[in-house]
Amino acid sequence: MAAARLVLLGFALLGVDGASGAGPPRVKAVKSSEHINEGETAVLVCESKSAPPVTDWVWYRITDAGDQVIMNGSQSRFFVNSSQGRSELHIKNLDMEADPGKYACNGTSSEGTDQAVITLRVRSHLAALWPFLGIVAEVLVLVTVIFIYEKRRKPDDVLDDDDAGSAPLKGSGKPLNDKGKNIRQRNNS
């Protein structure tokens, strides 16, 4: 008798229901929020590890007008796959206008019911393009500003370097590589 009490006390401390199955199930969403791209398939998942196990799962869409029950195969886009401890709602070909919102999964066992709510957010398929376009626009603005600055700069602003580079300028003394040849050079002035 004392050993049975210790076992039940241990289950209570660990948060596990005893073998008698006291209490309603605890339904939890695997992810409380999903972000999925338009046109893809969303998979919303609820689980319950309670004893006795959940035997019936029902999915709802929560709206201002009231909860709408989602039936398996409804609108050829909603499919429910359920087992004792897990239920999945598959929504095919997500629509950015119609599908975002809150979805609830309701699990029922012989001891009662519980539900979890999942928020579905649908992104535009062009969502990844906007940061790239922002970077391209920024680069174009910077290049334009640099180009305008360089064009408006006065010739006096050009710095005179003592080192004019690797090639000598025309008319700046004797040609280095000609070794006594009499080469005629064009005058630029």
Side-chain angles (χ1 to χ4, degrees):
M1 184 73 166
R5 285 184 186 166
L6 285 175
V7 169
L8 288 176
L9 179 63
F11 282 140
L13 291 174
L14 293 174
V16 178
D17 290 333
S20 64
R26 285 177 275 166
V27 175
K28 294 184 181 179
V30 172
K31 291 175 78 179
S32 63
S33 181
E34 288 281 352
H35 300 268
I36 311 221
N37 292 331
E38 182 178 27
E40 294 182 359
T41 299
V43 179
L44 308 179
V45 181
C46 284
E47 290 182 336
S48 176
K49 296 181 181 177
S50 300
V54 171
T55 54
D56 294 317
W57 292 95
V58 179
W59 284 88
Y60 299 94
R61 174 133 193 254
I62 301 171
T63 63
D64 293 336
D67 295 350
Q68 299 172 347
V69 177
I70 298 172
M71 301 301 293
N72 195 9
S74 63
Q75 299 179 12
S76 302
R77 296 180 40 230
F78 296 94
F79 299 96
V80 178
N81 183 11
S82 297
S83 63
Q84 278 190 346
R86 181 181 175 99
S87 181
E88 297 178 353
L89 172 63
H90 297 258
I91 307 171
K92 294 188 176 192
N93 195 19
L94 285 175
D95 184 354
M96 202 165 131
E97 300 297 323
D99 294 328
K102 294 186 182 278
Y103 292 81
C105 58
N106 189 353
T108 304
S109 73
S110 60
E111 295 293 322
T113 64
D114 191 21
Q115 79 172 13
V117 177
I118 301 172
T119 303
L120 176 63
R121 292 180 175 90
V122 181
R123 293 183 296 232
S124 168
H125 59 278
L126 298 176
L129 185 63
W130 293 116
F132 172 73
L133 291 178
I135 292 170
V136 168
E138 185 177 342
V139 168
L140 288 175
V141 167
L142 287 173
V143 167
T144 303
V145 167
I146 292 170
F147 180 75
I148 290 172
Y149 174 76
E150 290 293 327
K151 282 295 188 180
R152 290 190 176 189
R153 200 166 72 162
K154 296 177 185 174
D156 299 354
D157 292 346
V158 176
L159 298 174
D160 293 331
D161 290 343
D162 291 337
D163 179 18
S166 60
L169 295 175
K170 293 181 182 177
S172 63
K174 289 184 171 183
L176 298 176
N177 296 332
D178 293 336
K179 294 191 178 182
K181 293 183 182 176
N182 190 9
I183 296 178
R184 188 172 150 196
Q185 293 188 1
R186 189 178 295 169
N187 192 0
N188 287 342
S189 45

